[in-house]
Amino acid sequence: MTSNTLIPPTPSEAEYQAAAVDTTPLLEAASDPFDLFGTWLAEAKEKEMNDANAMALATADSMGLPDVRMVLLKDFDRQGFVFYTNLESYKGQQLGENPQAALCFHWKSLRRQVRVRGAITSVSQEEADAYFASRARDSRIGAWASAQSRPLEDRFALEKSVAGYALKFGIGEVPRPDFWSGFRLVPTRIEFWRDRPFRLHDRLEFMRGDAAASWSTSKLYP
């Protein structure tokens, strides 16, 4: 038992029994992980208050030291999961040094999470250009103005940089910077986790040797 009053207590038996849980067998839910992920993401989009596409992205540097942060999923299909960043940021550098990563989606309102592991590849120039062009103009200017992950003198320095690039581009197009692009995580493992009473959770794992291989499935102990 923890003495820290900020940590919620372990649920009582009555609280476990009162909790609404989804009892549909996971193995019957889908034979393809991308189909099941799409279904869960659609439900999360309806239930989560903010950013149903938010995901924790874990990377490691060339020494193997891990790092993790929240980013936004911007596309997914059977090729993998896509996100964008400044290539000179911490995560951009780490993915350049060690092109493999893990993702975790946690949808608290649904009591679900999805964990993904795999290799990292770069998106095409055309994909990066198309997504960058879809962003709000101020966001595109912000991408130019922010030396992401590097020391910032003060907020005024950032605002000054934003103003400078806004003046530079005027009312014209804001092109994608060379240092800004996207990555695709090509999964070899996807695990679907669903909350069940008394920590006896459902876990369904999809595994494959590489992107060309077929998926195998197995249930995991909680």
Side-chain angles (χ1 to χ4, degrees), residues 4-108:
N4 191 325
T5 58
L6 295 177
I7 305 299
T10 299
S12 67
E13 185 167 350
E15 288 171 325
Y16 273 129
Q17 292 174 344
V21 296
D22 183 356
T23 58
T24 306
L26 269 177
L27 278 174
E28 297 177 9
S31 58
D32 182 278
F34 295 110
D35 289 341
L36 182 53
F37 179 81
T39 297
W40 279 23
L41 182 59
E43 292 180 39
K45 187 177 178 181
E46 296 298 319
K47 299 287 187 179
E48 291 294 326
M49 291 181 61
N50 297 300
D51 298 329
N53 59 325
M55 59 188 186
L57 167 66
T59 58
D61 61 22
S62 58
M63 301 298 292
L65 185 65
D67 210 348
V68 67
R69 78 289 286 161
M70 301 302 296
V71 300
L72 295 177
L73 176 71
K74 287 302 179 181
D75 196 12
F76 84 95
D77 54 23
R78 281 173 169 74
Q79 295 182 68
F81 300 82
V82 174
F83 57 95
Y84 291 87
T85 188
N86 184 317
L87 301 179
E88 298 172 355
S89 66
Y90 284 149
K91 59 182 170 296
Q93 293 179 50
Q94 289 165 2
L95 291 171
E97 296 170 352
N98 186 0
Q100 52 191 346
L103 308 173
C104 182
F105 298 85
H106 178 218
W107 298 305
K108 187 175 182 179

